[in-house]
Amino acid sequence: MLDRMTAHADELAVDVRGLRKQYGDVTAVDGVDLGIRRGEVFGLLGPNGAGKSTTVEILQGHRSRDAGEVSVLGSDPAHGTRAWRSRVGIVWQDESAPAELTVRETVRHFARYYPRPRDPEEVIGLVGLEAKAGSRVKALSGGQRRRLDVALGVIGGPELLLLDEPTTGFDPAARRQFWDLIRLLAQEGTTIVLTTHYLEEAEALADRLAVIAKGQVVAEGEPSALRERYGTDATVTWTEPDGGTRVERTRTPTQTVTELVRRFDGEIPGLLVTRPTLEDVYLRLTGQEDAR
């Protein structure tokens, strides 16, 4: 994934230092630092209330901050001009288009807000709504409305696309189609910031991830690096000659399997080796290991 970012390695689309946001006595964002490269797909993971959505809202200029420095596409979002806003696309969790317009009318209408929009028909196809292009928004299912929200987020051809839980309500087929769209946009050079509760989605799409808990970044890196750095021991399971099942947790599973091969003089009955998943790492980092 990282190959496409080589030409932009020294350029940051998003540069955040010491970001803080307080709501009364509640600290939503507590000193967050982020550096997101141009052309990168960057995932923000964290439980509800961790500060993900607030961070995205500040990046878009929708919400003010209490402290810290923020640069998005070279500008401070708090003072973003209309021209700057046209370069940033966003899909909110609870966004919904006007109910009485058709899908085609809605996408065409929003396209007029941007100086260099994508072709509306192309965008409708990208989100899989060709068959619903003539349907009124109020007649769409929840998942179809989310697809329309995504279409409105990308219609302006943004340099930076902020996605806040974009696939909530999608069925598995729609989610996979959305993944293909994100990969296409990334290949075209769009920088994408994605918040999601779906760990499989984050691992499939993100070049790098930041895990946020209680308003702070507790880990950051490529998904594979996070598994390696924060993952617990691997688990080796096999069946003994008496039929009993043995389970061993180890940091050296290859060595354990080699010893078993010698002991069994070949094939190991019921052998299963499992390594820590991104979900295991996420639950550990956010203090939710007991939630499994």
Side-chain angles (χ1 to χ4, degrees), residues 151-198:
L152 300 183
V154 304
I155 187 63
E159 296 174 44
L160 171 67
L161 181 60
L162 305 172
L163 301 170
D164 193 19
E165 305 287 351
T167 60
T168 300
F170 279 23
D171 60 39
R175 183 168 291 117
R176 295 285 176 166
Q177 186 171 17
F178 170 79
W179 292 2
D180 290 340
L181 170 59
I182 294 307
R183 293 184 181 113
L184 173 63
L185 293 171
Q187 288 169 5
E188 293 176 349
T190 306
T191 305
I192 297 167
V193 179
L194 168 75
T195 78
T196 180
H197 283 297
Y198 299 109

Side-chain angles (χ1 to χ4, degrees), residues 12 44 53 58 72 97 111 132 174 178 200 217 252 264 289:
L12 292 181
L44 285 177
S53 294
I58 292 170
V72 176
K132 295 293 183 178
F178 170 79
E200 179 190 11
V217 175
T252 57
F264 282 93
E289 285 182 291

Side-chain angles (χ1 to χ4, degrees), residues 103-155:
V103 168
R104 180 175 287 110
E105 289 169 343
T106 301
V107 176
R108 287 180 175 176
H109 174 74
F110 275 78
R112 298 191 186 103
Y113 294 149
Y114 299 96
R116 290 178 297 278
R118 299 182 74 113
D119 177 67
E121 294 300 323
E122 175 204 23
V123 170
I124 290 171
L126 286 174
V127 299
L129 286 177
E130 307 101 309
K132 295 293 183 178
S135 299
R136 295 187 186 278
V137 172
K138 65 182 180 182
L140 302 180
S141 67
Q144 289 165 347
R145 290 194 184 203
R146 289 302 288 156
R147 293 196 198 196
L148 179 57
D149 292 338
V150 172
L152 300 183
V154 304
I155 187 63

Side-chain angles (χ1 to χ4, degrees), residues 20-71:
R20 292 181 61 84
K21 180 63 180 179
Q22 192 96 8
Y23 297 107
D25 296 331
V26 177
T27 302
V29 182
D30 189 12
V32 163
D33 294 339
L34 292 174
I36 302 172
R37 305 182 189 101
R38 291 183 183 269
E40 183 172 30
V41 179
F42 192 90
L44 285 177
L45 302 180
N48 290 332
K52 305 185 305 299
S53 294
T54 296
T55 299
V56 170
E57 290 173 349
I58 292 170
L59 295 182
Q60 196 262 350
H62 181 74
R63 192 169 298 281
S64 64
R65 62 185 185 271
D66 295 326
E69 299 179 0
V70 181
S71 174

Side-chain angles (χ1 to χ4, degrees), residues 65-98:
R65 62 185 185 271
D66 295 326
E69 299 179 0
V70 181
S71 174
V72 176
L73 301 180
S75 297
D76 185 337
H79 309 291
T81 63
R82 183 174 179 179
W84 175 83
R85 292 183 185 280
S86 73
R87 300 165 61 200
V88 180
I90 188 160
V91 178
W92 297 115
Q93 286 187 41
D94 55 358
E95 194 168 22
S96 190

